[in-house]
Amino acid sequence: MSTGSTNETQMVIITGMSGAGKTVAIQSFEDLGFFCVDNLPPTLLPKFLELMKESGNKMNKVALGMDLRGRDFFDSLFKALDELSETDWMTPQILFLDADDATLVRRYKETRRFHPLAQSGRPLEGIKLERELLEELKGRAQLVYNTSQMKPKDLREKIATEFSVNKQTLFTVNVMSFGFKHGLPIDADLVFDVRFLPNPHYIDSMRPKTGLDDEVSSYVLKWNETHKFLEKVTELLAFMLPHYKREGKAQLVIAIGCTGGQHRSVALAEHIGHYFEQDYHTRISHRDIDKRKEKVT
């Protein structure tokens, strides 16, 4: 099924059986750049559509998670869907997530959660009632995913395949420089300490500059130990990145740290980021490059 061009407005309504993977689905759409709202009441859908139109092109990819909330839920949802079908600027898609009863019971037991419709507390009772209530909605869905045999990464990959316009953006490699004296970056997945390399800070002409300047970059990159470090790090990352991507990770943050985040880490982050940009969607940032102080870099 085609999801349309990048200029068309996309709205995906994510619903289905409780425990079938709606949370993972919402997160997957967020990774694809969709504006996501979870548990939106169907009665608010017309108002939400007004906001989408008023935003111009800023909300042209939207995913809405909707949970079972009783008979009134369906009456409101079906009315809203009928109204949407008459619009000429968007055709919504319903993604229905399903799983067999045994799988849903096992998932509820693993999470120790109560099924929202299980008055007696037994998950199977709630699952059977929910399946009956959702039968008509499932019949109106354009896409039905059975997640019984899926791991979270499998569901992410399936959604990415169906809804991604640019597959290259599914996995992003973020390479950032930082200074240890300003603290470790809390969002880093991998941290490399390059304070063992010769420091341009101690050369007067380079002290006020950064690793973005050719003079500093050339100085940092000319040493044998720098060459050996880059050889080993790029070899290690070349091995690791495909495995992170295969596991369904949306992005990886690689942090390169020197003392102040001005010289060595900046030059090496630039080098490593550009090294992998042919194979991955890569972003390079320098957290502490503007935090220069007099004493140490």
Side-chain angles (χ1 to χ4, degrees):
M1 179 180 292
S2 173
T3 58
S5 69
T6 56
N7 293 324
E8 295 176 342
T9 298
Q10 291 179 259
M11 173 182 281
V12 183
I13 296 174
I14 307 164
T15 187
M17 297 295 293
S18 302
K22 186 169 70 68
T23 299
V24 173
I26 287 287
Q27 293 170 348
S28 301
F29 278 100
E30 287 179 343
D31 292 339
L32 291 174
F34 279 70
F35 181 90
C36 297
V37 180
D38 201 2
N39 295 332
L40 179 75
T43 53
L44 296 181
L45 191 52
K47 185 65 177 177
F48 187 81
L49 289 173
E50 292 179 17
L51 294 174
M52 288 180 63
K53 293 188 73 172
E54 291 173 1
S55 72
N57 208 34
K58 295 180 180 178
M59 293 175 63
N60 64 345
K61 295 168 61 179
V62 175
L64 306 177
M66 294 186 174
D67 279 336
L68 176 65
R69 291 293 183 267
R71 186 66 247 175
D72 292 342
F73 168 93
F74 294 103
D75 292 339
S76 299
L77 179 57
F78 291 150
K79 180 180 178 181
L81 289 174
D82 290 339
E83 293 176 356
L84 276 176
S85 65
E86 299 176 0
T87 63
D88 58 1
W89 59 283
M90 176 186 60
T91 302
Q93 291 178 281
I94 299 176
L95 170 58
F96 189 97
L97 300 174
D98 200 359
D100 60 52
D101 291 353
T103 299
L104 294 173
V105 169
R106 174 175 54 80
R107 290 175 181 173
Y108 268 98
K109 287 186 175 181
E110 288 175 350
T111 59
R112 299 184 179 181
R113 294 174 54 228
F114 290 100
H115 192 285
L117 297 182
Q119 297 181 356
S120 68
R122 294 179 56 230
L124 187 58
E125 175 187 297
I127 290 168
K128 289 183 176 179
L129 177 57
E130 184 180 33
R131 198 175 292 284
E132 293 175 5
L133 290 172
L134 291 175
E135 183 177 1
E136 182 179 354
L137 180 58
K138 183 178 180 180
R140 296 184 63 155
Q142 288 82 13
L143 294 168
V144 178
Y145 292 172
N146 189 313
T147 66
S148 300
Q149 303 300 320
M150 289 186 187
K151 296 179 181 179
K153 70 167 186 173
D154 299 325
L155 179 55
R156 293 190 191 101
E157 289 175 358
K158 190 171 183 66
I159 290 172
T161 300
E162 183 71 35
F163 292 94
S164 174
V165 174
N166 182 5
K167 304 295 188 299
Q168 187 69 13
T169 63
L170 297 184
F171 178 66
T172 300
V173 178
N174 292 285
V175 185
M176 66 179 297
S177 67
F178 75 97
F180 277 95
K181 73 174 183 177
H182 301 296
L184 284 168
I186 61 174
D187 57 345
D189 296 296
L190 300 171
V191 177
F192 295 97
D193 184 349
V194 298
R195 288 176 292 183
F196 66 93
L197 296 175
N199 193 350
H201 169 74
Y202 297 111
I203 299 177
D204 292 340
S205 64
M206 298 186 196
R207 186 172 303 153
K209 298 182 179 182
T210 74
L212 296 178
D213 293 297
D214 290 340
E215 182 184 4
V216 175
S217 178
S218 297
Y219 178 87
V220 172
L221 295 174
K222 75 175 184 178
W223 305 99
N224 289 333
E225 50 262 57
T226 305
H227 295 165
K228 182 62 73 173
F229 169 77
L230 288 173
E231 177 186 336
K232 291 182 177 296
V233 165
T234 52
E235 181 180 2
L236 175 64
L237 292 174
F239 167 76
M240 297 173 70
L241 292 178
H243 293 282
Y244 278 116
K245 183 177 181 180
R246 191 177 304 122
E247 284 300 308
K249 196 171 180 64
Q251 64 173 327
L252 189 75
V253 180
I254 303 168
I256 313 296
C258 62
T259 306
Q262 305 290 320
H263 299 117
R264 294 166 291 182
S265 62
V266 172
L268 293 174
E270 288 284 324
H271 182 91
I272 293 170
H274 290 306
Y275 182 89
F276 288 102
E277 66 185 0
Q278 295 296 322
D279 299 313
Y280 299 95
H281 183 252
T282 304
R283 295 173 181 166
I284 304 172
S285 61
H286 306 293
R287 191 192 71 176
D288 301 324
I289 198 169
D290 295 322
K291 296 179 181 177
R292 183 182 303 279
K293 293 184 179 179
E294 287 297 323
K295 291 186 178 180
V296 187
T297 58

